[in-house]
Amino acid sequence: MRLQAARYGSRILDGRIQKLDRCGAGFSARGHGNELRARAVLIATGVANRRPPIDDVLHAEALKLGRLRYCPVCDGYEITDQDVAVIGSDAHAAQECEFLRSFTDRVSLVLDGRTSLEERIAKHLASIGVRVIGGPAERFRLEANGLSLCCAPGRLCFEAVYPALGSRIHSELATGLGADVTKEGCIKVDSHQRTSVAGLYAAGDVVLGLDQISHAMGEAGVAATTIRNDLALVRQKFR
Ligand SMILES: Cc1cc2nc3c(=O)[nH]c(=O)nc-3n(C[C@H](O)[C@H](O)[C@H](O)COP(=O)(O)OP(=O)(O)OC[C@H]3O[C@@H](n4cnc5c(N)ncnc54)[C@H](O)[C@@H]3O)c2cc1C
C-alpha cells in the first residue's frame, strides 16, 4: 500500500501529530518538530482497545496464537465449539457474550472488578447459558491448551479470551478544533464523511461504525472523493 501511494505522489511521514490548528482557510498539523499545512484534513486515527493487565510480550504472543482476541465480528467463527471467556462487566460485554454464544455453548463472562453486573443483564446471560464468574481477571499465563487467568474461583484456562473493556477513541485532534463527537467520543460525520468543522473529514474506527477493515476503507474512499469534490468547489468559487 505504501508503494502504491508513493507511485501516485503521496509523501508518507512517520510520527505522531500532537496538535491540529486552523491556519487561514486550511489547517496546520504539528508533531515531532514538523509543521504541515493542508487545505483539508482526513482524520483516520482509529481507536485503542483497553487491555486487561497483561505484559506486552505475553499480550503479543497470546494474540498471535489466537488465545487473546478483540474482535468477535472479525474472528468469532474461529472459536466455534471452544471454551471462551469474555472479560467485562457492562452491557457491551454481555452483548459480546451473546454474539459468541452463537458459535459455542461454552461462554463465560469474567467480571472485570471495576463495576458490578446489572441484575437484568445477569438474568439474561443465565437464560442463554452464559456462566458469570467473579473477577478481576489477572495473572494471565499461556498454557498448552489456552490462556489461563486467576479470578474468584482460582486459576481457570480458556481456549480463547476476549477482553470487552471498551476502547480509547483517538478523536482529540478533531475535538481540539471543536468537532462534534458522540457521548462515547466517536467523531460525528455526515453521509460524505464531513465532520462539523469545514474542511475536516473523518473515516474508520474513529467514526462510529463497525470496526472492520472493509468498512474503514469504504469510508476512506467516500471521504477522499468528497475532499476532492469540496476542494474543486472552493477553487471554482475563487475563479
Ligand atoms: C486484534 C484485532 C484484530 C482485528 N481483526 C480484524 C479482522 O480480522 N478483520 C477486520 O476487518 N478487522 C479487524 N480488526 C479491526 C480493524 O483492525 C480496524 O477496523 C481497522 O484497522 C480500522 O482502521 P483505521 O484506519 O480506522 O484505524 P487503525 O488501523 O487503528 O489506524 C489508525 C492509525 O492512526 C495512528 N494514529 C493515531 N493517532 C495519531 C496521531 N495523533 N498522529 C499520527 N498517527 C496517529 C495509529 O497509530 C494507527 O496507526 C481487528 C482489530 C484488532 C484490534
Side-chain angles (χ1 to χ4, degrees), residues 111-182:
L111 302 179
D112 78 352
R114 287 181 303 173
T115 46
S116 56
L117 194 63
E118 273 181 53
E119 203 180 313
R120 67 178 176 89
I121 296 179
K123 269 194 188 145
H124 177 63
L125 291 178
S127 76
I128 58 169
V130 172
R131 183 165 65 132
V132 177
I133 302 172
E138 51 197 10
R139 283 181 279 150
F140 289 77
R141 197 166 72 200
L142 266 175
E143 313 285 354
N145 57 342
L147 184 64
S148 74
L149 52 88
C150 287
C151 52
R155 182 166 286 280
L156 299 178
C157 186
F158 299 93
E159 289 168 281
V161 175
Y162 282 86
L165 302 169
S167 314
R168 204 173 72 72
I169 321 285
H170 298 149
S171 50
E172 315 79 33
L173 295 176
T175 51
L177 284 166
D180 292 341
V181 291
T182 64

Side-chain angles (χ1 to χ4, degrees), residues 20 27 40-47 169-175 177-182 185-209 215-227 230:
L20 198 56
F27 301 91
V41 172
L42 170 58
I43 307 266
T45 40
V47 303
I169 321 285
H170 298 149
S171 50
E172 315 79 33
L173 295 176
T175 51
L177 284 166
D180 292 341
V181 291
T182 64
C186 296
I187 303 174
K188 287 188 184 175
V189 292
D190 70 7
S191 57
H192 295 272
Q193 307 303 132
R194 296 184 188 97
T195 72
S196 58
V197 174
L200 188 69
Y201 305 77
D205 286 4
V206 75
V207 172
L208 185 65
H215 192 244
M217 294 187 87
E219 285 190 347
V222 172
T225 309
T226 310
I227 291 170
D230 286 353

Side-chain angles (χ1 to χ4, degrees), residues 13-19 30-32 43-49 59 63 68-75 77-78 168 170-173 203-207 210-217 219-220:
L13 304 173
D14 289 325
R16 196 158 198 85
I17 296 300
Q18 262 117 21
K19 188 112 190 353
R30 268 171 300 164
H32 282 261
I43 307 266
T45 40
V47 303
N49 296 124
H59 189 275
L63 209 58
L68 191 64
R69 297 171 178 268
Y70 281 90
C71 183
V73 178
C74 307
D75 51 32
Y77 71 95
E78 289 177 14
R168 204 173 72 72
H170 298 149
S171 50
E172 315 79 33
L173 295 176
D205 286 4
V206 75
V207 172
L210 198 57
D211 289 6
Q212 290 283 285
I213 295 167
S214 51
H215 192 244
M217 294 187 87
E219 285 190 347

Side-chain angles (χ1 to χ4, degrees), residues 73-90:
V73 178
C74 307
D75 51 32
Y77 71 95
E78 289 177 14
I79 58 86
T80 299
D81 293 334
Q82 289 187 5
D83 190 3
V84 175
V86 172
I87 303 174
S89 293
D90 60 7

